[in-house]
Amino acid sequence: NMRECAGNRTPWADTVTVGLFEDPLPNDVVCNELLFDPLPDGSDYVEWYNRSGHIINLQDLYLANRSAAGLPINPVRVSERPLALLPGHYIVLTEQPEQLGMDHPPPSPLSYLKINAMPSLPDDRGDLLLMDRKGKTIDALHYEKDWHYPLLHMTEGVALERIDPNAPTQERHNWSSAASVTGFGTPGKRNSQFMSPA
């Protein structure tokens, strides 16, 4: 019968991790996977990974696109309530978490977070920013459709995965198409193309 500060019962059976929020620094939270060209019955999603040792409050983060002048546009708050992103954990943002869960069952009930209006993710190329409440950029990605594996006949429904979460976000060779054996996506989990220097 444990309850958290807002009075809600905790959904976990055995263990609850607690801690204090810290303000995110640049690159504490990074874009780790995105689906920008979903199947007709699917929805865009973007996965963020907390590679820091800090507990980040998702309520303090905003998604945005970048204008031609390089300025943030269309900012959307990630969460309307305090929500912790723990070190080493993932959060997947999508407008259709139920549909995504049918295609890719989430590893935990808290892995997918519904966002009412995702920033635009065009099918050919686009820009995505993660900012703090003061407008400081935490991570930024300019993606291109040709980042997909070149021998794929069709990229619709195929997510782009970050290979090494500690390599630069904008490094083109740090991204690859998700493997077919995972259903072309691994939202909320370690990427199928994960590789890190020994």
Side-chain angles (χ1 to χ4, degrees):
N1 295 317
M2 192 182 333
R3 296 176 183 268
E4 38 98 309
C5 296
N8 301 312
R9 291 185 188 277
T10 57
W12 307 278
D14 301 314
T15 303
V16 177
T17 301
V18 297
L20 297 176
F21 292 137
E22 296 187 50
D23 291 336
L25 300 173
N27 300 310
D28 273 358
V29 180
V30 295
C31 185
N32 198 58
E33 181 176 338
L34 74 160
L35 178 65
F36 53 85
D37 186 10
L39 294 169
D41 61 346
S43 178
D44 294 340
Y45 71 77
V46 58
E47 175 193 84
W48 299 92
Y49 173 64
N50 183 355
R51 68 180 193 179
S52 76
H54 311 139
I55 300 175
I56 306 299
N57 186 1
L58 293 173
Q59 189 181 34
D60 291 339
L61 298 181
Y62 292 79
L63 291 183
N65 294 124
R66 194 194 300 270
S67 71
L71 301 175
I73 55 173
N74 308 321
V76 179
R77 196 172 202 170
V78 169
S79 176
E80 294 302 320
R81 62 184 178 89
L83 190 62
L85 181 60
L86 300 175
H89 282 230
Y90 308 92
I91 189 71
V92 180
L93 308 178
T94 179
E95 293 179 358
Q96 298 182 21
E98 298 83 5
Q99 179 64 45
L100 181 59
M102 291 174 60
D103 299 331
H104 299 278
S108 86
L110 301 180
S111 297
Y112 298 168
L113 181 61
K114 180 178 175 61
I115 190 164
N116 291 326
M118 283 280 287
S120 175
L121 295 176
D123 292 349
D124 53 351
R125 63 180 59 86
D127 290 274
L128 189 62
L129 302 177
L130 184 69
M131 305 182 300
D132 69 8
R133 62 183 180 275
K134 297 178 182 177
K136 178 179 65 180
T137 298
I138 304 302
D139 194 31
L141 173 68
H142 173 81
Y143 66 86
E144 301 272 351
K145 182 177 181 178
D146 65 8
W147 287 12
H148 275 294
Y149 184 63
L151 297 183
L152 277 177
H153 297 298
M154 185 177 72
T155 58
E156 188 178 51
V158 180
L160 272 179
E161 292 183 337
R162 190 182 186 119
I163 296 171
D164 179 0
N166 293 310
T169 297
Q170 200 51 55
E171 172 56 55
R172 182 260 175 274
H173 298 293
N174 195 36
W175 293 87
S176 185
S177 305
S180 60
V181 295
T182 63
F184 293 109
T186 53
K189 305 174 186 175
R190 174 179 277 195
N191 290 343
S192 64
Q193 304 294 355
F194 172 85
M195 185 181 303
S196 183

